[in-house]
């Protein structure tokens, strides 16, 4: 494997056990995409028929379906790319496939830890953990955790944040 | 309404007098301030602009129709409506302090109550907009940590009352009571210390004009060229039109940028920075005199700007962001948290080093290294300017061509670190490192297109140094 193929977060920090997201996250993401697509299709149906005619509509829907298939493939792989790791002093969250991102959040700087779950997430028994520091807009999300795991993570983070308060 | 004002007039002597100013104040049980109302002129001032618009519109109406009746009706209706709604809103607005919290109640139909925990108080500014100064009134801008939005100012109060309230609130917050009391005598009277920097009016005006120049010329030139070209093309095709009508929005844009420049000049008029007891004190303004205080321990980042037109003059601007979330609002960004709007290199370095004690600015400049050469085509013009580096106590980043900004973030103030890599960057083995801090200057603390391995090392190093610096810090900020 050439050097360029090794992503940043596999090289550093190396000896970490990255915890993956729950497998249902994939289903949740895919369902979310389907719902959005269906809504879009219903909204666009009448204008498209008037504007393009039946053949045009068939082509448009075909293109949309192809894009959706591509997106499905990306989602499946992107969900696998999510991961978080707890180190001694900080929490690491990595995500993204095309646009990779690694966030390092020191426990001492955590201001708020929230749990939240959207309707589809809830149906599959998943929870998202949101971590905020004092830097505005710096929200680190860990989606698709089992509620127990999320609760445990929240409690651990809150406890460690209280231990090492570094604040602003 | 008169007796209500009388009530405010006769309220007991400020509670602060009953408490000793000094250490140990924090241990005193929270003081309570009974509910008070704002100054009765508040609705009038709040709707000042609206009022002006109504008056102007109706006089215009009168002028073109030569028929005063409609205009008069409009004015009377608007005035009546304004008076009633203003009266109601004044009646339903009030503030009080209960259990260490400042509670502000407002709203007639939708009751709203804001609660500001005073223990997290970051700063209070007494500001006097022009319209308030006419009536001897002032507003109180209160900054609290953890507030998700800038708290709307408490306006309006009589100037003396506003200063008293500021002291009371500071005393209740138990924060810096002595320092605050020492200078409370106040904004005009006590001179806190020798000024660190003062901006002469001439330099301020030239600096602002020069800074606004390139963008204006560029925009104006492009649009002018497009219009001339368009006009020529239209005439060539034989269409009888006047493209010059399109000039109106351009003139409008130019005028608004001119107004912006002028208002920034007015805002920074007679800018004086002085030192008072571990804080910096900024005094400035012509139409709206304001004086605010920057606590040095709360500085999260310092930046030095060099707009391209200032190069021949060798002028610099120095800005800081502090750990008060109120500064991150759009308004505060417009207002700016400048420590020096335009100064010479020596002045700027002096101010920056005052804001970041223990950091030499020459070190900041010297630790910067450019991104690798293979990243050059990504930002061909500014590649030469870009730089990032780790200093003894800070992370430094430089960027920007039209306005070169060098920002230094002390390690102890770094909140979290992010590494990002887009698909193109991955092909080139580049990555972007971002240090996040509190305050608006954090958007500059981004080291773009660093070598992948270097970026990773940079992030690791930032985290380790941030921990070490925070652990060494005494006392810790919260």
């Amino acid at each position: 494997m050439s050097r360029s193929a090794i992503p940043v977060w596999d090289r550093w920090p190396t000896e970490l056990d990255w915890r993956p997201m729950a497998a249902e996250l994939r289903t949740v993401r895919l369902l979310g995409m389907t719902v959005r697509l269906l809504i879009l299709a219903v909204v666009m149906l009448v204008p498209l028929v008037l504007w393009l005619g039946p053949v045009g509509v068939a082509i448009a829907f075909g293109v949309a379906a192809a894009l959706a298939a591509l997106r499905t493939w990306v989602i499946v792989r992107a969900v696998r790319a999510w991961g978080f790791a707890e180190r001694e002093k900080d929490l690491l969250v990595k995500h993204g496939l095309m646009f990779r991102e690694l966030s390092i959040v020191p426990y001492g700087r955590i201001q708020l830890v929230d749990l939240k779950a959207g309707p589809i997430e809830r149906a599959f028994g998943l929870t998202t953990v949101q971590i905020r520091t004092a830097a505005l807009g710096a929200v680190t999300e860990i989606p698709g955790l089992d509620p127990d795991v999320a609760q445990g993570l929240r409690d651990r983070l809150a406890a460690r944040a209280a231990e090492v308060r570094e604040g602003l | 309404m008169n007796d209500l004002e009388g009530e405010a007039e006769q309220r007991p002597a400020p509670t602060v007098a009953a408490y000793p100013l000094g250490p140990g104040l924090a241990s005193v049980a929270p003081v309570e301030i009974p509910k008070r109302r704002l100054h009765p002129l508040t609705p009038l001032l709040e709707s000042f602009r609206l009022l002006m618009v109504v008056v102007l519109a109706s006089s215009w109406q009168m002028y073109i129709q030569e028929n005063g009746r409609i205009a008069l009706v409009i004015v009377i209706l608007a005035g009546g409506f304004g008076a009633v709604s203003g009266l109601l809103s004044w009646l339903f607005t009030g503030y009080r302090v209960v259990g260490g919290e400042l509670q502000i109640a407002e709203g007639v139909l939708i009751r709203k109550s804001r609660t500001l925990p005073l223990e997290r108080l970051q700063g209070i500014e007494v500001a006097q907009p022009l319209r308030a100064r006419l009536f001897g009134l002032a507003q109180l801008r209160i900054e609290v940590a953890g507030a998700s939005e800038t708290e709307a100012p408490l306006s309006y109060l009589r100037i003396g009352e506003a200063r008293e309230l500021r002291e009371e609130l500071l005393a209740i917050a138990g924060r810096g009571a002595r320092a605050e009391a020492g200078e409370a005598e106040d904004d005009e009277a006590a001179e806190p210390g020798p000024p660190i920097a003062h901006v002469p009016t001439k330099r301020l005006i030239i600096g602002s004009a020069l800074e606004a120049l390139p963008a204006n010329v560029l925009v104006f030139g492009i649009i002018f060229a497009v219009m001339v070209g368009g006009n020529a093309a239209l005439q060539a095709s034989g269409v009888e039109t006047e493209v010059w009508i399109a000039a109106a929005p351009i003139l409008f844009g130019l005028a608004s940028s001119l107004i912006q420049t002028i208002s920034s000049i007015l805002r920074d008029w007679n800018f004086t920075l002085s030192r008072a007891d571990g804080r910096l004190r900024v005094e400035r303004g012509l139409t709206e005199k304001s004086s605010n205080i920057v606590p040095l321990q709360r500085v999260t980042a310092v930046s030095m700007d060099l707009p391209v037109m200032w190069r021949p003059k060798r002028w610099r601007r120095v800005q800081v962001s502090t750990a008060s979330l109120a500064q991150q609002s759009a308004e505060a960004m417009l207002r700016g948290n400048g420590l020096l709007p335009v100064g010479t290199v020596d002045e700027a370095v002096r101010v920056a080093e005052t804001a970041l004690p223990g950091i030499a600015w020459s070190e900041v400049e010297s630790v910067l290294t450019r991104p690798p050469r293979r990243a050059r085509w990504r930002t061909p013009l500014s590649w030469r300017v870009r730089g990032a580096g780790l200093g003894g106590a800070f992370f430094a980043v430089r960027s920007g061509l039209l306005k070169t900004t060098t920002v230094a973030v002390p390690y102890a103030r770094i909140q979290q670190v992010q590494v990002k890599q887009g698909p193109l960057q991955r092909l080139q083995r580049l990555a972007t490192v971002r240090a996040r801090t509190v305050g608006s200057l954090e958007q500059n603390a981004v080291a773009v297109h660093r070598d992948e391995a270097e970026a990773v090392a940079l992030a690791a190093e930032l985290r380790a140094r941030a921990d070490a610096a925070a652990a060494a810090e005494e006392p810790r900020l919260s």
Side-chain angles (χ1 to χ4, degrees):
Chain A
M1 205 179 215
S2 72
R3 184 161 167 255
S4 64
I6 307 170
V8 174
W9 3 100
D10 287 359
R11 194 142 27 93
W12 177 84
T14 41
E15 60 302 327
L16 281 178
D17 59 356
W18 288 103
R19 315 254 311 263
M21 305 295 129
E24 291 93 341
L25 179 61
R26 198 176 49 209
T27 328
V28 169
R29 289 278 157 105
L30 288 177
L31 263 179
M33 182 192 75
T34 317
V35 168
R36 278 196 293 275
L37 267 181
L38 280 178
I39 293 173
L40 188 70
V42 169
V43 172
M44 292 297 286
L45 190 60
V46 175
L48 275 184
V49 169
L50 290 180
W51 184 40
L52 295 176
V55 183
V57 170
I59 294 174
F61 275 52
V63 171
L67 285 178
L70 194 70
R71 181 89 186 113
T72 307
W73 180 68
V74 171
I75 286 178
V76 169
R77 290 196 48 203
V79 166
R80 246 183 275 149
W82 271 93
F84 71 97
E86 291 168 75
R87 293 201 301 177
E88 193 192 336
K89 283 182 172 170
D90 42 24
L91 174 80
L92 275 68
V93 182
K94 63 166 184 176
H95 69 85
L97 203 66
M98 294 282 278
F99 296 88
R100 290 170 192 246
E101 191 173 329
L102 170 73
S103 295
I104 314 167
V105 188
Y107 298 130
R109 308 280 184 171
I110 293 176
Q111 300 275 342
L112 280 174
V113 186
D114 286 340
L115 296 184
K116 71 163 203 186
I120 304 181
E121 266 186 318
R122 236 182 341 235
F124 285 84
L126 292 183
T127 309
T128 298
V129 178
Q130 278 187 336
I131 302 149
R132 283 166 207 272
T133 59
L136 205 72
V139 184
T140 310
E141 278 202 348
I142 311 178
L145 294 178
D146 285 326
D148 298 342
V149 180
Q151 287 270 1
L153 180 64
R154 201 251 315 257
D155 295 345
R156 276 199 304 282
L157 289 179
R160 284 184 197 169
E163 262 170 42
V164 268
R165 273 231 77 77
E166 284 167 1
L168 306 167
Chain B
M1 290 318 98
N2 277 335
D3 59 354
L4 276 170
E5 195 196 349
E7 194 180 288
E9 209 87 76
Q10 289 156 20
R11 75 193 154 72
T15 8
V16 71
Y19 291 86
L21 292 177
L25 196 87
S27 59
V28 174
V31 196
E32 310 234 329
I33 297 179
K35 184 169 173 174
R36 292 180 198 158
R37 289 219 168 88
L38 299 171
H39 196 274
L41 280 178
T42 300
L44 183 70
L45 291 177
E46 289 283 0
S47 52
F48 192 71
R49 279 187 198 137
L50 188 71
L51 221 63
M52 293 305 290
V53 170
V54 169
V55 167
L56 280 180
S58 52
S59 45
W60 175 248
Q61 181 82 3
M62 231 182 281
Y63 174 72
I64 52 170
Q65 295 211 337
E66 295 176 6
N67 176 4
R69 218 176 296 158
I70 298 173
L72 213 61
V73 169
I74 293 175
V75 168
I76 289 171
L77 277 182
F81 178 75
V84 171
S85 67
L87 187 66
L88 278 175
S89 83
W90 179 76
L91 275 176
F92 280 85
T93 307
Y95 65 90
R96 62 174 178 180
V97 176
V98 177
E101 287 180 339
L102 172 66
Q103 296 177 349
I104 304 173
E106 59 195 354
V108 181
L109 290 178
I110 303 166
R111 297 288 288 157
K112 208 170 99 186
S113 171
R114 290 182 289 140
T115 305
L116 311 180
L118 289 176
E119 54 183 354
R120 288 199 277 159
L121 191 68
Q122 305 254 336
I124 306 182
E125 186 187 349
V126 176
Q128 277 192 292
L130 184 61
R131 56 182 183 278
R133 192 130 46 103
L134 290 178
F135 298 96
L137 300 180
Q139 55 181 209
L140 219 53
R141 294 178 184 153
I142 303 167
E143 293 177 8
V144 172
S148 56
E149 61 192 59
T150 310
E151 299 303 337
L154 204 54
S155 54
Y156 293 87
L157 302 164
R158 218 171 290 110
I159 176 78
E161 204 181 345
R163 286 186 191 147
E164 271 169 31
L165 182 62
R166 177 169 85 164
E167 279 177 61
E168 283 172 273
L169 294 178
L170 283 170
I172 293 170
R175 178 192 293 278
R178 271 167 306 161
E180 212 54 55
E183 79 189 68
E185 299 304 311
D186 181 18
D187 296 346
E188 291 95 62
E191 184 53 44
I196 300 172
H198 176 82
V199 180
T201 305
K202 191 179 152 205
R203 193 202 294 160
L204 180 68
I205 292 173
I206 297 178
S208 304
L210 279 180
E211 192 184 9
L213 199 64
N216 277 342
V217 167
L218 199 73
V219 170
F220 191 71
I222 288 174
I223 294 176
F224 190 77
V226 167
M227 270 182 18
V228 168
N231 210 13
L234 281 177
Q235 274 180 358
S237 60
V239 185
E240 289 282 326
T241 35
E242 273 305 333
V243 188
W244 299 111
I245 297 165
I250 304 165
L251 290 178
F252 185 76
L254 273 183
S256 79
S257 106
L258 193 68
I259 288 170
Q260 238 173 34
T261 308
I262 291 175
S263 73
S264 87
I265 290 175
L266 293 181
R267 194 189 57 209
D268 289 331
W269 195 269
N270 206 5
F271 189 99
T272 309
L273 179 74
S274 50
R275 198 182 175 125
D277 237 8
R279 306 142 181 262
L280 294 176
R281 181 195 187 86
V282 174
E283 278 164 287
R284 59 179 175 180
L286 185 67
T287 55
E288 181 185 337
K289 277 210 172 103
S290 86
S291 93
N292 61 329
I293 283 167
V294 180
L296 278 179
Q297 330 85 296
R298 292 200 167 254
V299 169
T300 57
V302 173
S303 83
M304 198 179 287
D305 295 348
L306 169 59
V308 68
M309 293 302 284
W310 288 4
R311 273 166 203 262
K313 296 268 186 193
R314 291 174 50 76
W315 285 340
R316 303 280 190 278
R317 166 179 300 130
V318 180
Q319 285 179 299
V320 291
S321 56
T322 54
S324 91
L325 295 184
Q327 285 205 338
Q328 298 181 339
S329 71
E331 189 224 7
M333 266 152 119
L334 283 178
R335 231 174 15 168
N337 36 8
L339 280 193
L340 186 65
V342 40
T344 60
V345 180
D346 292 345
E347 267 178 331
V349 167
R350 194 167 66 231
V351 169
E353 287 176 353
T354 315
L356 284 182
I359 291 177
W361 199 259
S362 54
E363 189 193 349
V364 176
E365 300 282 354
S366 67
V367 295
L368 297 168
T369 55
R370 283 180 190 154
R373 188 160 279 277
R374 63 178 182 276
R376 184 165 193 171
W377 65 272
R378 305 286 297 265
T379 52
L381 294 175
S382 66
W383 177 80
R384 206 167 267 286
V385 177
R386 280 181 196 279
L390 297 168
F394 59 86
F395 174 49
V397 179
R398 184 172 61 194
S399 62
L401 186 72
L402 279 181
K403 189 170 88 181
T404 307
T405 301
T406 312
V407 63
V409 183
Y411 290 133
R413 298 281 92 86
I414 293 177
Q415 292 282 326
Q416 64 186 72
V417 181
Q418 286 172 337
V419 186
K420 289 188 185 186
Q421 191 181 43
L424 265 179
Q425 283 186 317
R426 188 140 39 104
L427 285 178
Q428 284 194 286
R429 289 179 290 111
L430 298 172
T432 296
V433 182
R434 179 164 193 194
R436 312 228 34 181
T437 66
V438 185
S440 51
L441 287 181
E442 70 147 13
Q443 64 196 31
N444 293 316
V446 188
V448 186
H449 300 325
R450 310 302 296 190
D451 178 72
E452 198 175 72
E454 188 205 340
V456 163
L458 207 60
E461 198 63 23
L462 281 176
R463 275 293 303 120
R465 293 190 188 195
D467 273 352
E473 194 167 62
E474 202 70 52
R476 288 179 182 175
L477 280 183
S478 58

